[in-house]
Amino acid sequence: MTGTVLPPLAPGAIPPGQAVSPFPASSPVTWGRTDQGVDGETTPGSPLLAMGSGTVTIQHDPAGFGTSYPVLSTSFGEFYYGHSVPVVADGAQVSVGDQIAIAHTGTWGNSTTPGGFEIGSWPPGSMVAGGAIRSWLIGLPRI
């Protein structure tokens, strides 16, 4: 599934229980610009959830997304959670809705604000790739 580019999906287009927003309903989210992924901001320290069931790998990119950050491989794609801090180990098996990271309480990688995030398809694409999944991400149900 490496490099899967997801088409924009209408809210409710994903079968119930298969995918959820990475942001719990209790956490505020401000969606920002798109580049390789979708940027935004949430409360620093907020939990970040597995969008689907799958395997988490921990990637390292101190100049970009942070010293370590999770990448989630699911049946419907692979996604990086940039500028976040993993709370599960490399190779962890997770279920939809499990916590896999927290929003950083400082800045991590090239983020500019505490609680800043970037979520996108793995591996990161061009600097316009985030536009292809923005509507899809925003349309995911929040639990």
Side-chain angles (χ1 to χ4, degrees):
M1 296 210 114
T2 300
T4 301
V5 176
L6 300 170
L9 298 177
I14 299 166
Q18 288 189 11
V20 299
S21 172
F23 305 99
S26 60
S27 296
V29 176
T30 302
W31 294 96
R33 69 186 178 119
T34 59
D35 47 32
Q36 290 175 303
V38 180
D39 294 327
E41 184 178 345
T42 188
T43 304
S46 290
L48 299 177
L49 310 178
M51 291 186 279
S53 297
T55 304
V56 175
T57 57
I58 306 301
Q59 297 295 322
H60 308 281
D61 177 19
F65 298 133
T67 303
S68 60
Y69 56 94
V71 173
L72 176 64
S73 297
T74 71
S75 63
F76 51 85
E78 295 181 83
F79 306 92
Y80 67 88
Y81 290 60
H83 314 303
S84 67
V85 181
V87 297
V88 297
D90 188 52
Q93 297 293 310
V94 296
S95 296
V96 63
D98 287 350
Q99 182 179 354
I100 63 171
I102 62 167
H104 203 279
T105 57
T107 60
W108 197 243
N110 286 338
S111 67
T112 59
T113 183
F117 64 82
E118 181 173 337
I119 296 179
S121 292
W122 183 259
S126 71
M127 291 303 279
V128 298
I133 67 166
R134 181 184 177 89
S135 296
W136 183 85
L137 278 169
I138 292 171
L140 291 173
R142 295 181 72 193
I143 57 172

